[in-house]
Amino acid sequence: MKLFDGGRAPNPRRVRVFLAEKGIEVPLVPVDMGAMGHRDEVVTRRNPLQRLPVLELDDGTVLTESVAICRYFEELHPEPALFGAGALGKAQVEMWQRRLELGLFNFVAQAFRHIHPAMKDWEIPQIPEWGEANKPKAIAFLRFFDGELASREFAAGDRYSIADITGMIAVDFMKPARIAMPDDCANVRRWYAAVSSRPSAAA
Amino acid sequence: MKLFDGGRAPNPRRVRVFLAEKGIEVPLVPVDMGAMGHRDEVVTRRNPLQRLPVLELDDGTVLTESVAICRYFEELHPEPALFGAGALGKAQVEMWQRRLELGLFNFVAQAFRHIHPAMKDWEIPQIPEWGEANKPKAIAFLRFFDGELASREFAAGDRYSIADITGMIAVDFMKPARIAMPDDCANVRRWYAAVSSRPSAAA
């Protein structure tokens, strides 16, 4: 198999961090997203939505969507369980994975795509007013998340999970999106420092 | 357990359709979202994000996020498998569940929330230009989906799954969002007619 990878972009990194946590090595095919490589024929033929990452299995089967690719590897290599354990544990990871994706990552991404000058050929039309409207939504979520993290170590409970990966990547994405971490989010800062210092974060 | 339900809103219905497909009955607590019942104390105490549905277990544990609630029931009652079977099958359902959620449902929801007059107290600020920008994105996705459905019966393969539920609900949501199904999407129309005629669609 091979993984068409997109370098520094958030979603490709999400899968690389996941694989590093699992201790799985997959051959990478680098794609230069800065040069719009994700819209060339090599990627488009495999994913008409022109998004990365794309996993191609040895028989040619293609999987897209970072979380779907992660789930494939979770099923093949169940330990350490990064999607949770038990019915309730799995549901709680799913809940927090979604909360962090829809309630933080998505808002940060919208702010970046609709405001940053480098995105003008990516997001058409860019609507700066919409980009700005996402910033307070992201901040409000961080304050909610901060309250949750007062009583536990990781996003979905006492064990590291894919929800932490999504959350870490969302916080890293705040920098180019020009959203500052609020001073009063001490628990989020503690959590972010912990997940960012894991060896997988360098992936 | 009890499920705090939001009537006609898309996400609460997503869980009801899922439960109907599984043949599971859960006591419902109706919440009148038209009267902003999802922002009252009963819901906010359980889900500070003020979203429905909310599942409360007998010990008081709360689960939110429609897909997380569905996954909880999938783990408790694995048959029929609505999240797919086997590593590849589960990954393909996840891929299509996400494609239909992020590539269709989300665009339709943004168009509805940023354009419909009834949403002016829900989505602040309403940005009609952003609402309009989502319509061609939804249409483009439907044409891509139409090509995919030329060679198979359901969204993620030959078996009905949660991806079909998300897709059906997204298409139903197109009506209040004032997005018309393109005439050339014959495969999507065939698929929609089939999933909408299942008894679960009435849930």
Side-chain angles (χ1 to χ4, degrees):
Chain A
M1 67 175 69
K2 53 190 172 185
L3 182 65
F4 293 82
D5 182 44
R8 291 186 307 163
N11 279 312
R13 184 171 167 235
R14 202 141 62 134
V15 173
R16 294 199 309 274
V17 173
F18 186 92
L19 292 172
E21 286 284 341
K22 288 277 191 186
I24 301 170
E25 291 197 19
V26 176
L28 299 184
V29 180
V31 178
D32 184 353
M33 293 180 76
M36 292 287 183
H38 55 295
R39 296 191 187 174
D40 72 13
E41 190 271 341
V42 170
V43 173
T44 303
R45 178 158 45 88
R46 293 171 171 86
N47 183 10
L49 297 177
Q50 300 181 316
R51 303 257 172 86
L52 290 171
V54 169
L55 180 69
E56 184 172 275
L57 307 185
D58 291 341
D59 69 356
T61 300
V62 164
L63 283 175
T64 72
E65 294 295 326
S66 52
V67 176
I69 293 170
C70 291
R71 191 171 294 279
Y72 179 68
F73 288 111
E74 177 88 353
E75 293 292 325
L76 293 181
H77 305 275
E79 297 297 332
L82 296 179
F83 279 91
L88 183 60
K90 288 181 182 182
Q92 286 170 325
V93 168
E94 181 104 35
M95 175 172 77
W96 280 100
Q97 148 61 24
R98 289 177 64 83
R99 280 179 162 180
L100 284 157
E101 174 153 338
L102 303 175
L104 185 61
F105 181 83
N106 181 52
F107 293 145
V108 175
Q110 292 295 313
F112 178 71
R113 294 179 68 97
H114 283 275
I115 296 170
H116 201 289
M119 287 291 104
K120 69 175 170 43
D121 295 330
W122 294 54
E123 186 67 43
I124 301 170
Q126 261 191 331
I127 302 172
E129 184 188 2
W130 168 241
E132 292 294 340
N134 281 275
K135 292 182 177 179
K137 295 176 199 274
I139 296 295
F141 183 89
L142 285 166
R143 294 211 161 100
F144 160 63
F145 189 37
D146 194 72
E148 293 283 324
L149 287 175
S151 60
R152 61 180 186 269
E153 188 172 355
F154 295 112
D158 295 328
R159 287 183 59 178
Y160 181 90
S161 74
I162 189 171
D164 296 293
I165 298 175
T166 299
M168 176 182 73
I169 280 174
V171 170
D172 283 333
F173 205 12
M174 288 167 56
K175 190 173 178 184
R178 295 170 194 168
I179 300 173
M181 178 68 69
D183 287 334
D184 54 5
C185 289
N187 297 311
V188 174
R189 290 171 184 271
R190 180 212 76 219
W191 160 84
Y192 175 74
V195 297
S196 296
S197 65
R198 297 168 75 94
S200 63
Chain B
M1 65 175 71
K2 54 191 173 184
L3 182 65
F4 293 82
D5 182 45
R8 290 187 308 164
N11 278 313
R13 183 169 166 237
R14 201 141 63 132
V15 174
R16 294 199 308 275
V17 172
F18 186 92
L19 292 172
E21 287 283 341
K22 287 278 191 185
I24 300 169
E25 291 195 19
V26 177
L28 299 183
V29 181
V31 178
D32 183 352
M33 293 180 75
M36 292 288 183
H38 55 297
R39 296 191 186 173
D40 72 14
E41 191 271 341
V42 171
V43 173
T44 304
R45 178 158 44 89
R46 292 171 170 87
N47 183 10
L49 297 177
Q50 301 180 316
R51 302 257 171 88
L52 290 171
V54 170
L55 180 70
E56 184 172 275
L57 307 185
D58 291 342
D59 69 357
T61 300
V62 163
L63 284 174
T64 72
E65 293 295 327
S66 52
V67 176
I69 294 171
C70 291
R71 190 171 295 280
Y72 180 66
F73 288 112
E74 178 89 352
E75 293 293 323
L76 292 181
H77 306 275
E79 298 297 333
L82 297 179
F83 279 90
L88 183 59
K90 288 180 181 181
Q92 286 170 326
V93 168
E94 182 103 34
M95 174 172 78
W96 279 100
Q97 148 61 24
R98 288 176 64 84
R99 281 179 160 180
L100 283 157
E101 175 153 338
L102 303 175
L104 184 62
F105 181 84
N106 181 51
F107 292 146
V108 175
Q110 291 296 313
F112 178 70
R113 294 179 68 98
H114 284 274
I115 297 171
H116 201 289
M119 287 292 104
K120 70 174 169 44
D121 294 331
W122 294 54
E123 187 68 43
I124 300 169
Q126 262 191 330
I127 302 172
E129 184 188 4
W130 168 240
E132 291 295 340
N134 281 274
K135 293 183 177 180
K137 295 176 198 274
I139 296 295
F141 182 90
L142 285 166
R143 294 211 163 100
F144 160 63
F145 189 37
D146 195 72
E148 292 284 323
L149 286 175
S151 60
R152 61 180 187 267
E153 188 171 354
F154 295 112
D158 295 328
R159 286 183 63 177
Y160 181 91
S161 75
I162 190 171
D164 296 294
I165 299 176
T166 299
M168 176 182 75
I169 279 173
V171 170
D172 282 334
F173 205 13
M174 287 167 56
K175 189 173 179 184
R178 294 171 196 167
I179 300 172
M181 178 68 69
D183 287 336
D184 54 5
C185 288
N187 298 312
V188 175
R189 290 171 185 272
R190 180 213 75 220
W191 160 84
Y192 175 74
V195 296
S196 295
S197 65
R198 297 168 76 95
S200 64

